[in-house]
Amino acid sequence: MEYKLKTDDVKRRYREYDVTGDVSVQNIEPLLGEVKDCLASCDELCINLVGVTEFDTSALQLFYAVKNSFVRDRKKLRVTCDLAPEVAQLLANCGVDDLAQVLSFGVEQPDAPSK
């Protein structure tokens, strides 16, 4: 797996990464370190899974744990995908038809309190 920082907008507290190649539990740790740093210093993160050729279910669980961290901290996480057909089929066999939808989380602004 390779990843590169595409956008680091400190003023907007926004980061975006492109991830390519084989995403597995064996090689995801460096990216998770970046994501943890982003959770502490950003309000919004975008992960583009462009050209991912393999994606194991353990990596899916780790990404889902990342999503839960963003939900807990009320931050935005957006995942975009351009998966190889084989990867999309593997995930579909696991019950995941739209990986981007499963992993993305946007904070809704609460309504103003009424008085």
Side-chain angles (χ1 to χ4, degrees):
M1 174 189 73
E2 293 184 19
Y3 66 92
K4 74 174 188 175
L5 181 60
K6 184 176 176 183
T7 306
D8 187 7
D9 188 335
V10 176
K11 186 175 181 180
R12 283 184 40 218
R13 297 177 50 90
Y14 171 82
R15 280 193 200 157
E16 183 173 356
Y17 289 92
D18 285 342
V19 180
T20 59
D22 177 8
V23 178
S24 69
V25 71
Q26 289 85 12
N27 64 15
I28 200 168
E29 190 61 37
L31 179 60
L32 288 179
E34 293 281 334
V35 169
K36 287 178 186 175
D37 177 60
C38 185
L39 188 59
S41 63
C42 296
D43 292 329
E44 185 174 356
L45 171 65
C46 180
I47 300 174
N48 300 313
L49 300 174
V50 294
V52 169
T53 54
E54 298 286 331
F55 198 98
D56 71 11
T57 54
S58 296
L60 174 62
Q61 290 173 329
L62 289 172
F63 269 99
Y64 198 75
V66 166
K67 175 185 178 178
N68 288 338
S69 295
F70 275 76
V71 168
R72 179 195 67 226
D73 291 353
R74 301 187 49 78
K75 298 190 176 198
K76 295 179 186 177
L77 174 65
R78 184 169 43 107
V79 176
T80 60
C81 298
D82 185 16
L83 302 175
E86 300 83 17
V87 176
Q89 184 60 53
L90 168 74
L91 292 171
N93 291 344
C94 296
V96 178
D97 292 323
D98 186 348
L99 183 64
Q101 182 180 7
V102 167
L103 297 178
S104 296
F105 173 73
V107 176
E108 297 295 325
Q109 296 300 323
D111 293 337
S114 55
K115 294 189 176 195

